[in-house]
Amino acid sequence: MTHKVKSSNLGYPRLGEQREWKKLLESFWKGNTDTETFEATAKNLRIANLKKQIDFGLDIIPVADNSNYDHVLDTAAAFNLIPTRFGSYDRPLTLAEYYSVARGDKNNVAADMTKWFNINYHYTVPEFDNTVPRLLENRWLKYWQEAKDELNINGKPVIVGPVTLIKLGKLNGDYVTSSEDINRLLDNILPLYVQVFKELQDAGVEWVQLDEPTLVKISDETEVSPYRRVIEALRFEAPKLNIELQTYFDSIDPYEAVTALPVQAIGLDFVHGYGENLTHIREFGFPEDKILAAGVIDGHNIWAARLDEKLDLLKELQSVTNKIWVQPSNTLLHVPITKRYETHASPELFGGLAFADEKLQEIVVLTRALNGEDMTQAFRNNTATLRALNNSKERNNDQVQAAIASLSETEFERKSSYAQRAITQQKRLQLPKLPTTTIGSFPQSSEVRAKRAAWRKGNLSDEDYQVFIESETKRWLKIQEDIGLDVLVHGEFERTDMVEYFGQKLDGFYATQNGWVQSYGSRGVRPPVIFGDVDYIAPITVEASQFAQAHTQKIVKGMLTAPLTIINWSFVRDDISRADVQNQIALALRQEVINLEKANIEIIQVDEPALREGLPLKQRHWQNYLDEAVYSFKITTTGVRDDTQIHTHMCYSDFEDIIDTISALDADVISIETSRSHGEIISAFEDADYDKQIGLGVYDIHSPRLPSVDEIAENIRRGLKVIDDSQFWVNPDCGLKTRNEEQTIAALKNLEAARNIVLAEISSN
Ligand code: GLN
Ligand code: ZN
């Protein structure tokens, strides 16, 4: 018997088309909206989002995927799994209490927040110490009921699964990893999920989506046990409720064990995961008793799908199992809502975009085609649209493509070894031991932001804006000189964002008008769209660096963002490989680096803060990623003479497993974040025998707290235990743009004083 194919969604963006949700939260935080108004407005937004999905003709619509901040926090809060400093509850948290956990309050710092898998969304980390898990509120039933009452749909509640909740949370300060801990926590938490599921079943819910994305992180069958325990319990206690076990962001390694779990549907990602889920299906088939919920539409990129290819894929899946749902690879939370507002995009680009709403329409088209409807016109349009984009002049820059094609045989190396370069550089730069510097940005004060806003609105002329930026640069050069720093920076006052700024100056990028995506809480970002061949148009940072250098006797360091960080924080075209895009950017930046050198900039820093966060989820894919990163970094930085010093910066310290990559970048100097985790980082360098220069961040710029001279000196001394004083630089952890002027100056004065103390100690030895 043939089954009707159904269309499904996994979650809808919560921001609102005009960021109504963000505005609502922020207005509530400011005290301008009361709880009643908040609830009413939030409800209207939820209903509007659901209504759209109904109108698109989607068969299975997710509910309870909404949130007032973050879905992991919602789950933790529903089960009383919040840090105990915020209290223990036996009733649902009020909005104010909920936001205390999310954002901190005057008595307590906020709960920890960290990155969600390998994408740019941050979740609130649950903490399991000393809490009594309790079901405070069945929010899944509440929102299911709301959708039923208001719109008469039998929605699919989405719930973060208990094993994922546990693994993403902390016990005694560490992530929960051991099976004993997981099982012990499940003893108390699983009964609460059972209760939730029973209530859903009794209310008449048909399907529930149980998100267990941590399934993509396990490598062998034994690790499936806690998930099996959960599912068996839920099935036994709520046998009439159908479960869609949902995975995403990568493939499933213990494929047979996971697909054998007793659920009614399994959601697999067919976009990410290197094609491995498809390989498994070809090899092992798919169990007859289940629905295959096929994630074929990319849920974390913004391109229209090639519908003919997707249809072929779905037909192949259909030849293995005839029970299919068509859906996105993951929740659409991570893409912007609709491309309707992108009126500045060229027709070719506009045609090729698909944000959340357009993706849902693609899903419906594919579903209807599989069900035998004549969708020829939609398919033809899709082919024509994508052909137009691929034929656009932006995607056919012959010069760039020729350069990329000839790369494979090209090695990018500095002229001499590091040891030789170090000698010529020191001859030129004449730096003292333990040189002091900063990471690049200085405070983006309210004045800086106000001037930029005025300039953007046309209320401040280009000249006046330029004069203002230059006066800030001069003021800060003087401040740096007065403090006594050795290597100065211009302060990055012209940049709002280190990626956006380069996107605006290179060919091949599009800045969206309304492409907002939630990063954390109410904070949205608008990642640049890399849609064409990336090309260098004109110098980007040269003028600012040159201006600064002309106004001081000290050395000014040039400052740019490296290729991998640019692509990791952008939406990247998917018609060519990421490596090719990355190398196009690298070739463009190579010209910039050479131009900085020509302008007599003696030190050039190329920031790569996002290198580590882009690591693939499975370790077996790391090496390739890291090799490509090193290659593009070297394309960017090896065009200079030996006596030009290349710096890089990374803002994390979790280096142990990528220290060889750090060294392979062949930067003369690297500055890294260490002040929050001195122990581990130092041991990484102890074992690695790193021969280049390094600046260990000696104080934490993320906190307004003033670090004392003693404390900074102690951090320097600690670093000097494992790194020779001829290699050691003294600098803060990261850029200073989020601190205010007073904090910055006070901290840098202490840094300089601490360096001088330690320098005197060294010289007297
Ligand atoms: N140069 C940048 C700055 O100082 C580096 C920022 C970062 O590492 N994220 O702001
Ligand atoms: Zn940083």
Side-chain angles (χ1 to χ4, degrees):
M1 150 179 151
T2 56
H3 287 253
K4 209 164 162 301
V5 176
K6 288 189 175 168
S7 55
S8 172
N9 185 18
L10 306 183
Y12 191 82
R14 44 183 88 118
L15 271 180
E17 274 188 30
Q18 296 298 330
R19 289 184 298 155
E20 295 88 343
W21 182 83
K22 170 199 176 68
K23 291 168 194 160
L24 177 65
L25 268 58
E26 290 175 358
S27 154
F28 179 79
W29 298 341
K30 284 200 193 110
N32 297 339
T33 296
D34 60 22
T35 303
E36 210 177 306
T37 315
F38 181 100
E39 296 293 3
T41 316
K43 176 172 172 181
N44 286 340
L45 278 169
R46 288 194 293 274
I47 300 297
N49 291 343
L50 291 173
K51 209 163 164 309
K52 268 207 224 170
Q53 299 176 74
I54 296 170
D55 292 345
F56 290 140
L58 216 61
D59 298 314
I60 298 161
I61 295 174
V63 294
D65 56 329
N66 56 279
S67 176
N68 289 333
Y69 197 86
D70 158 49
H71 50 280
V72 180
L73 176 59
D74 295 333
T75 314
F79 294 130
N80 195 36
L81 295 169
I82 56 175
T84 45
R85 61 180 179 277
F86 296 102
S88 183
Y89 292 86
D90 54 13
R91 52 158 176 85
L93 278 68
T94 64
L95 268 180
E97 288 160 348
Y98 171 88
Y99 285 131
S100 292
V101 184
R103 309 175 62 231
D105 55 29
K106 49 180 191 313
N107 302 319
N108 293 298
V109 293
D112 266 5
M113 187 171 72
T114 197
K115 261 181 169 279
W116 177 246
F117 296 82
N118 58 350
I119 62 168
N120 191 20
Y121 175 82
H122 302 74
Y123 73 93
T124 305
V125 179
E127 289 180 29
F128 304 112
D129 307 290
N130 310 316
T131 50
V132 186
R134 229 182 249 133
L135 179 60
L136 306 183
E137 180 179 42
N138 190 341
R139 67 183 303 279
W140 300 276
L141 179 58
K142 172 172 145 187
Y143 295 118
W144 176 85
Q145 193 65 52
E146 178 182 272
K148 175 133 182 92
D149 294 345
E150 300 289 331
L151 299 163
N152 198 25
I153 55 170
N154 196 334
K156 172 183 70 169
V158 179
I159 182 166
V160 178
V163 183
T164 291
L165 186 76
I166 289 171
K167 287 185 173 180
L168 296 181
K170 285 185 174 178
L171 194 58
N172 302 320
D174 289 319
Y175 287 105
V176 181
T177 49
S178 79
S179 59
E180 294 79 60
D181 284 340
I182 294 170
N183 273 311
R184 207 164 31 76
L185 287 165
L186 277 178
D187 290 343
N188 294 322
I189 295 173
L190 182 50
L192 308 181
Y193 274 81
V194 164
Q195 192 182 335
V196 167
F197 273 52
K198 273 185 171 164
E199 290 175 11
L200 293 174
Q201 167 188 272
D202 295 346
V205 177
E206 212 178 317
W207 280 98
V208 66
Q209 175 184 321
L210 185 68
D211 278 359
E212 288 284 14
T214 46
L215 276 167
V216 308
K217 301 255 284 178
I218 64 176
S219 49
D220 80 48
E221 225 177 286
T222 58
E223 294 171 273
V224 180
S225 326
Y227 301 91
R228 185 178 302 114
R229 172 180 169 192
V230 165
I231 283 160
E232 281 171 354
L234 295 173
R235 289 297 303 148
F236 184 78
E237 301 280 351
K240 290 199 296 261
L241 185 58
N242 296 310
I243 299 176
E244 176 188 17
L245 176 63
Q246 187 60 48
T247 69
Y248 40 83
F249 298 147
D250 213 321
S251 60
I252 301 296
D253 285 353
Y255 172 81
E256 286 178 289
V258 170
T259 48
L261 291 170
V263 291
Q264 288 68 34
I266 295 204
L268 298 177
D269 186 334
F270 289 99
V271 177
H272 312 96
Y274 308 81
E276 288 165 357
N277 276 337
L278 184 59
T279 312
H280 295 319
I281 288 204
R282 285 177 180 155
E283 185 170 354
F284 304 109
F286 189 82
E288 256 168 42
D289 59 341
K290 297 184 177 59
I291 291 164
L292 172 59
V296 295
I297 295 295
D298 192 342
H300 63 97
N301 213 339
I302 43 97
W303 302 108
R306 288 210 40 178
L307 292 180
D308 50 354
E309 283 178 8
K310 300 296 177 186
L311 191 67
D312 288 346
L313 169 62
L314 287 162
K315 283 186 175 158
E316 177 175 355
L317 296 175
Q318 242 181 349
S319 71
V320 179
T321 168
N322 62 8
K323 297 180 199 151
I324 297 259
W325 289 356
V326 184
Q327 59 182 26
S329 60
N330 52 268
T331 164
L332 297 175
L333 179 62
H334 311 304
V335 290
I337 297 175
T338 166
K339 68 175 181 178
R340 276 199 296 138
Y341 302 97
E342 302 308 320
T343 52
H344 295 170
S346 67
E348 291 85 3
L349 172 59
F350 186 83
L353 294 173
F355 295 178
D357 287 353
E358 293 79 31
K359 286 176 190 295
L360 291 174
Q361 289 164 293
E362 291 179 343
I363 285 167
V364 171
V365 167
L366 288 166
T367 306
R368 290 169 63 184
L370 287 174
N371 285 330
E373 276 187 61
D374 179 7
M375 303 305 289
T376 323
Q377 201 49 49
F379 278 77
R380 260 192 215 140
N381 290 347
N382 172 261
T383 308
T385 308
L386 289 177
R387 189 179 300 136
L389 177 57
N390 287 332
N391 290 340
S392 66
K393 64 174 190 319
E394 288 86 355
R395 282 199 173 177
N396 293 281
N397 183 325
D398 294 341
Q399 228 171 324
V400 170
Q401 289 179 8
I404 291 294
S406 66
L407 275 183
S408 51
E409 311 98 58
T410 321
E411 293 268 339
F412 289 94
E413 298 295 341
R414 298 288 295 269
K415 295 175 188 67
S416 308
S417 69
Y418 167 71
Q420 275 170 287
R421 298 192 314 256
I423 297 168
T424 41
Q425 286 166 18
Q426 183 52 18
K427 215 179 272 167
R428 182 181 187 199
L429 302 172
Q430 301 283 332
L431 290 165
K433 263 192 184 167
L434 315 185
T436 49
T437 190
T438 64
I439 303 306
S441 57
F442 280 126
Q444 293 262 335
S445 59
S446 43
E447 199 192 359
V448 172
R449 279 180 278 131
K451 293 275 188 199
R452 187 183 300 118
W455 171 64
R456 283 199 174 150
K457 284 207 183 100
N459 298 337
L460 188 68
S461 71
D462 290 357
E463 298 76 50
D464 290 349
Y465 179 61
Q466 186 65 17
V467 166
F468 169 74
I469 297 283
E470 292 182 351
S471 71
E472 273 304 275
T473 297
K474 279 196 276 189
R475 204 165 66 77
W476 275 93
L477 286 169
K478 178 82 171 59
I479 294 173
Q480 296 173 78
E481 283 176 344
D482 290 347
I483 293 170
L485 298 173
D486 297 308
V487 173
L488 314 191
V489 295
H490 75 283
E492 299 179 28
F493 299 108
E494 74 288 6
R495 310 179 189 176
T496 31
D497 176 278
M498 61 189 292
V499 169
E500 182 192 61
Y501 184 72
F502 287 87
Q504 286 162 351
K505 309 272 174 184
L506 291 167
D507 246 358
F509 284 72
Y510 168 72
T512 68
Q513 287 153 273
N514 202 40
W516 295 99
V517 183
Q518 186 189 6
S519 166
Y520 66 88
S522 67
R523 198 183 151 91
V525 291
R526 258 184 314 181
V529 174
I530 307 177
F531 76 104
D533 291 330
V534 176
D535 204 359
Y536 191 63
I537 310 168
I540 302 168
T541 63
V542 175
E543 220 178 275
S545 298
Q546 225 172 358
F547 175 86
Q549 188 62 85
H551 286 84
T552 178
Q553 298 301 320
K554 294 248 172 132
I555 300 167
V556 172
K557 143 171 101 164
M559 193 62 58
L560 37 128
T561 307
L564 207 72
T565 295
I566 293 181
I567 80 163
N568 279 349
W569 292 349
S570 299
F571 285 124
V572 185
R573 61 192 286 193
D574 61 358
D575 61 314
I576 60 175
S577 74
R578 275 178 87 85
D580 280 349
V581 179
Q582 195 173 306
N583 291 337
Q584 289 184 356
I585 299 170
L587 284 167
L589 296 177
R590 180 181 175 87
Q591 298 186 53
E592 177 73 4
V593 171
I594 291 171
N595 284 335
L596 283 167
E597 180 181 72
K598 282 192 192 139
N600 288 322
I601 300 303
E602 298 169 311
I603 300 182
I604 301 163
Q605 178 172 310
V606 184
D607 289 328
E608 198 65 290
L611 184 125
R612 193 173 205 299
E613 71 181 46
L615 276 174
L617 293 175
K618 296 184 202 276
Q619 204 151 352
R620 62 174 175 271
H621 302 300
W622 282 18
Q623 200 52 50
N624 184 47
Y625 168 89
L626 292 170
D627 289 347
E628 288 175 356
V630 168
Y631 189 66
S632 59
F633 187 84
K634 287 173 89 173
I635 294 178
T636 305
T637 53
T638 54
V640 292
R641 303 192 310 255
D642 279 351
D643 64 352
T644 295
Q645 190 169 68
I646 297 290
H647 288 216
T648 187
H649 165 73
M650 299 179 182
C651 25
Y652 41 81
S653 50
D654 203 355
F655 270 137
E656 228 120 320
D657 35 19
I658 59 167
I659 187 93
D660 294 336
T661 299
I662 305 293
S663 189
L665 295 174
D666 202 24
D668 301 300
V669 183
I670 176 174
S671 63
I672 54 179
E673 171 181 309
T674 18
S675 57
R676 285 187 291 186
S677 51
H678 249 99
E680 307 101 71
I681 182 71
I682 292 202
S683 70
F685 283 92
E686 213 159 29
D687 306 336
D689 113 78
Y690 187 79
D691 62 345
K692 302 178 189 79
Q693 297 167 59
I694 182 160
L696 295 185
V698 292
Y699 76 86
D700 179 9
I701 61 95
H702 303 88
S703 149
R705 201 184 134 262
L706 176 67
S708 71
V709 176
D710 281 354
E711 156 188 351
I712 298 178
E714 205 33 58
N715 281 342
I716 300 174
R717 290 189 199 102
R718 224 183 308 169
L720 286 173
K721 290 199 178 116
V722 286
I723 293 159
D724 193 78
D725 59 30
S726 63
Q727 290 168 268
F728 200 90
W729 285 66
V730 175
N731 50 256
D733 244 358
C734 192
L736 293 156
K737 67 167 172 249
T738 55
R739 296 273 64 85
N740 67 32
E741 180 160 340
E742 191 190 327
Q743 293 159 347
T744 300
I745 296 176
L748 290 176
K749 279 186 175 159
N750 287 358
L751 174 143
E752 187 69 21
R755 186 277 300 263
N756 291 339
I757 291 172
V758 181
L759 197 56
E761 290 166 7
I762 295 173
S763 325
S764 67
N765 278 338

